[in-house]
Amino acid sequence: MEGEKNIKFKFLSDKPLKEESELLHIEFGHKELGTTLSKIVENVEAPFTIGLFGKWGTGKSSLSFLLRNVLKRKNIPVVIFDVWKHEKDALRRTFLREIARQLDNAKAIEENFQLNERLD
């Protein structure tokens, strides 16, 4: 088995691609899906919901981050909520807080916006 020591393996990470530089190299049709979804978001009358369904590791999170980056350039805020990260929290309260936090960071809500004190 001569030469086996020179075998090089390339392992792919299972973490979502988030950074613009990473998203530029995304494969498997994600760019096309992102383009299509951004057109839907821009042209469909609100309110509406988009659901992404797929097996673990199929790129749902990466597609979400790609879509957020595309829509950010068009001044359309996107909120990404990781349910698994908050599975032990009071879901409704955590969800509302996270929406407010992300929209505030995106400068997409009024400067003096306050969540209802009852949430605390």
Side-chain angles (χ1 to χ4, degrees), residues 25-83:
H25 305 292
I26 197 169
E27 299 291 336
F28 309 114
H30 286 71
K31 288 179 190 173
E32 293 80 6
L33 284 169
T35 299
T36 301
L37 287 172
S38 70
K39 288 179 184 175
I40 290 170
V41 169
E42 290 177 78
N43 294 299
V44 173
E45 189 175 319
F48 66 94
T49 301
I50 296 175
L52 296 177
F53 301 91
K55 293 181 180 180
W56 189 281
T58 57
K60 300 177 298 296
S61 295
S62 295
L63 180 58
S64 298
F65 291 116
L66 174 69
L67 181 61
R68 181 172 64 184
N69 286 357
V70 169
L71 292 175
K72 183 179 182 180
R73 290 190 287 269
K74 299 174 184 186
N75 292 322
I76 300 172
V78 173
V79 173
I80 297 176
F81 184 74
D82 184 348
V83 176

Side-chain angles (χ1 to χ4, degrees), residues 93-102 115 119-120:
R93 178 179 21 225
T94 305
F95 181 67
L96 292 172
R97 282 183 181 154
E98 187 62 18
I99 288 172
R101 186 190 69 75
Q102 288 187 36
L115 278 179
L119 283 176
D120 295 324

